[in-house]
Amino acid sequence: MTSGTITAAAAGTWRLGDLTVNRMGFGAMRLTQDGAALTTVRTPHDRDRAIAVLRRAVHLGVNHIDTAAFYFSPMRSANELINRALGPYPDDLVITTKVGPGRGPSGDWLDWARPEDLRGQVEENLRQLGRDHLDVVNLRMNGPASVADRFGALAELREEGLIRHLGLSNVGADQIAEALPIAPVVCVQNRYGIASRRADSDEVLRLCGERGIAFVPFYAIAGEGHEAGAAEAAVSEVVSAVAGAHDASPAQIRLAWTLQRGPHVLAIPGTGNPGHLTENVAAAALRLTDDELRLLSGPGRDAG
């Protein structure tokens, strides 16, 4: 498809609490690394190019950026790149960050944050981003453990005014239900794509829609190392065929499929490549037929 001057607004909008965002957003993780896997050491992207990509994203109507203090390489920090590129921030820009995982200065992974550690993680995001409050903070979970103590700690920071809205990441329906009585949940960020999704993804997708909660897939284009083998090969053939019918790239088809899973679904594709950014944003205007959606949704379900 021709990207032209298509902007993120072509995907429509959704509200994160009292904040309105275009459903096509941007994920900042890839700005610091060539690869998606944070556990792998990669060569950092060029700093000037990363800054140019962020400014171009906002120019193309992106007003929802996903980031985290633990998105960094030996030479780059996603939060500090965002601060450098976009500060002072546009009034309509919503920056969503996440807490839970921790990394030492050398990049080594630390123990998962305890409730009493979360204030420090929130304050580090504030420092790096140059903000006096965070628009949205997602609590990233590591398995099916209770969210109550950690989400409660974030709710206290929300009451103090350090956080405006709260969300969850890598969670199931039971964990969402546990969090809701503690504080409003404005978004849920889970792994979700044509061939890479949790076993409970459709249940969570439906629950979020019923509750008016934004569902925000990550790895919607590339998966999480799950795009290998016969199942993914079959999916890729279908994606390629649909892409050919729309004169689009496979990545654009994957993004269009994601956005058409529901009006409450937000996309946050990440890239450090200006050309890929323009293509990703252009997918906001792509509409797949019902037959194409059924075809794409059939094979490759991941049990995650």
Side-chain angles (χ1 to χ4, degrees):
M1 64 182 293
T2 302
S3 57
T5 56
I6 296 170
T7 71
T13 62
W14 189 259
R15 290 181 68 82
L16 298 173
D18 61 347
L19 303 170
T20 300
V21 297
N22 290 325
R23 293 176 60 221
M24 178 62 76
F26 180 82
M29 183 177 70
R30 288 182 180 271
L31 291 178
T32 63
Q33 300 171 284
D34 286 331
L38 286 174
T39 55
T40 303
V41 176
R42 304 284 186 177
T43 302
H45 281 302
D46 177 80
R47 176 181 175 82
D48 290 340
R49 186 174 72 158
I51 289 172
V53 165
L54 284 163
R55 291 174 176 168
R56 177 64 176 165
V58 171
H59 178 75
L60 290 173
V62 169
N63 60 4
H64 174 218
I65 295 178
D66 176 79
T67 186
F70 55 85
Y71 289 172
F72 68 87
S73 70
M75 297 178 63
R76 305 282 181 267
S77 158
N79 281 353
E80 291 173 351
L81 284 169
I82 291 168
N83 189 354
R84 174 69 179 85
L86 303 178
Y89 299 107
D91 291 341
D92 67 339
L93 180 65
V94 174
I95 299 176
T96 298
T97 188
K98 62 186 71 64
V99 295
R103 296 175 72 194
S106 63
D108 53 312
W109 288 98
L110 307 176
D111 291 338
W112 218 260
R114 298 165 298 179
E116 58 268 29
D117 299 326
L118 294 176
R119 176 183 290 272
Q121 290 194 348
V122 166
E123 290 176 346
E124 181 62 10
N125 277 282
L126 288 168
R127 184 192 69 79
Q128 292 178 2
L129 290 167
R131 304 289 297 267
D132 60 7
H133 75 280
L134 299 174
D135 296 324
V136 182
V137 173
N138 287 322
L139 173 64
R140 170 83 175 186
M141 293 299 294
N142 182 26
S146 169
V147 304
D149 290 347
R150 290 175 174 82
F151 199 71
L154 292 179
E156 292 178 3
L157 298 179
R158 176 176 172 266
E159 291 297 321
E160 292 180 26
L162 296 181
I163 301 171
R164 192 162 181 171
H165 298 296
L166 294 175
L168 295 164
S169 178
N170 196 36
V171 294
D174 289 347
Q175 290 167 305
I176 298 171
E178 185 184 20
L180 284 170
I182 299 171
V185 176
V186 301
C187 57
V188 169
Q189 189 181 99
N190 279 6
R191 174 170 55 87
Y192 191 80
I194 290 177
S196 178
R197 37 192 147 150
R198 293 166 49 115
D200 60 354
S201 288
D202 290 329
E203 179 187 5
V204 172
L205 176 71
R206 176 189 55 77
L207 173 63
C208 287
E210 292 173 352
R211 295 277 190 164
I213 299 170
F215 184 75
V216 190
F218 59 82
Y219 298 142
I221 296 177
E224 190 184 12
H226 293 263
E227 298 196 73
E232 173 54 27
V235 172
S236 295
E237 289 182 6
V238 175
V239 171
S240 295
V242 175
H246 287 270
D247 191 24
S249 71
Q252 288 175 319
I253 295 301
R254 291 176 184 273
L255 287 171
W257 178 89
T258 298
L259 288 168
Q260 286 182 243
R261 298 300 285 169
H264 63 299
V265 179
L266 311 183
I268 50 168
T271 182
N273 184 302
H276 291 167
L277 168 70
T278 302
E279 290 182 1
N280 289 345
V281 172
L286 183 56
R287 301 293 182 267
L288 305 177
T289 68
D290 290 342
D291 286 344
E292 289 169 338
L293 291 171
R294 282 192 291 269
L295 190 64
L296 290 164
S297 299
R301 186 172 297 278
D302 186 292

